[in-house]
Amino acid sequence: MLGFLSARQAGLEDPRRFRRAESTRRVLGLELNKDRDVERIHSSGVNTLDIEPVERRYMLSGGSDGVIVLYDLENSSRQPYYTCKAVCSVGRNHPDVHKYSVETVQWYPHDTGMFTSSSFDKTLKVWDTNTLQTADVFNFEETVYSHHMSPVATKHCLVAVGTRGPKVQLCDLKSGSCSHILQGHKQEILAVSWSPRYDHILATASADSRVKLWDVRRASGCLITLDQNNGEKSQAAESANTAHNGKVNGLCFTSDGLHLLTVGTDNRMRLWNSSSGENTLVNYGKVCNNSKKGLKFTVSCGCSSEFVFVPYGSTIAVYTVYSGEQITMLKGHYKSVDCCVFQSNFQELYSGSRDCNILAWVPSLYEPLPEEDETKTKSRLNPAFEDAWSSSDEEG
């Protein structure tokens, strides 16, 4: 490490490399934090989590009980043992509470003063954070599975909504009405996600085994239907133009927007080039996925090698995005995990499960005991950690 710092001071190293190396080290050391609890409010499973992108301090959760909770993740007590307290909640006695399960919550990307939620009660609600009252309500004819606002849009305020019907609906927060309908899927829309790179590119996943990329500026809409076989005619006709051999119930762009990850009930995860639509054929092995609705997984940001965190039964599997290597399995929940969210400022992970708990996963701090020699200490560390922190003279 000293060699690296010397090289950086001399201008021989990219200053960002140190940050990426440290971020990677911290992700590789994620473990269940025994010193931090997240206050348990939900009386049934936690379906969705979202951390606001402005301060990355406040987190929303939505549960099968219809309740929405807002947490403060900051340790204001400065004590080693603390609980992330609920600042406020939309409980069962709230006049605007969702009648049924909340499937998605999301902060407004540019301001913590507003957030959105969607539910099996066929509504999308826009909330004023300060008053905890609804500012607007969009009603649909079908159950709502997923919604998403673009994290980078400045010219539009469209919310993409996936429902039990085959049509993707775009709701305009400015006008308070449904402004676009995207047609092309044949079954329910289980997941939607805007590109973090282009504000007009939208990805949708359906129970019809297909994933589509849309340009919402175009009248025809659909740009690409992802094909797991990359157009090879030798493959079976029934799998043509399908992304998975089962329902596709999860979508996530990489942080740079250049690639798209999808998961399906065929127990596979696939990585796609989001520009060409090409299946990169990265092999992640079996990725257990028994969810009958949307599965919310997440990716890291700012690491030397990016990682993806995927709910896998009662655990969370961690893979390197571009090689497909499984790094670890995070074990702590005792029922199925349905969602997780990454906090990029401190490389922390939060997960929600059907056991009603939200768990915090934080980087471990290795402190060798006095009797341990250096060789034993190194053997406990992930090889990628050792590489990132090499202090040899050659590095400088």
Side-chain angles (χ1 to χ4, degrees), residues 34 89 109 115 117 126 136 152 215 236 240 243 250 273 310 315 323 343 357:
K34 300 177 178 62
S89 66
F115 66 89
S117 63
V126 183
D136 206 348
V152 294
D215 183 342
N273 182 310
V310 189
T315 67
S323 72
Q343 209 278 25
N357 292 316

Side-chain angles (χ1 to χ4, degrees), residues 151-272:
V152 294
T154 55
K155 297 180 179 178
H156 71 74
C157 289
L158 297 176
V159 184
V161 181
T163 70
R164 186 169 286 173
K167 299 175 183 177
V168 181
Q169 304 191 52
L170 302 182
C171 299
D172 191 340
L173 295 183
K174 290 183 179 178
S175 67
S177 62
C178 181
S179 61
H180 295 68
I181 292 178
L182 306 176
Q183 300 187 66
H185 285 293
K186 297 178 181 178
Q187 295 184 44
E188 60 261 36
I189 311 299
L190 297 173
V192 295
S193 181
W194 291 94
S195 165
R197 193 177 188 87
Y198 303 109
D199 64 3
H200 55 275
I201 299 297
L202 174 70
T204 59
S206 170
D208 64 9
S209 303
R210 289 172 169 79
V211 173
K212 292 180 180 288
L213 293 175
W214 311 79
D215 183 342
V216 298
R217 302 171 304 177
R218 295 171 28 154
S220 56
C222 186
L223 282 175
I224 308 171
T225 299
L226 302 184
D227 182 0
Q228 60 182 302
N229 303 314
N230 285 331
E232 293 182 15
K233 295 181 180 179
S234 60
Q235 301 294 332
E238 60 267 19
S239 65
N241 284 333
T242 58
H244 288 264
N245 298 320
K247 297 179 178 181
V248 190
N249 60 351
L251 285 172
C252 187
F253 280 95
T254 53
S255 58
D256 58 12
L258 296 177
H259 291 85
L260 175 70
L261 286 151
T262 62
V263 293
T265 56
D266 57 356
N267 295 326
R268 290 288 179 266
M269 178 163 63
R270 294 197 165 94
L271 179 71
W272 310 83

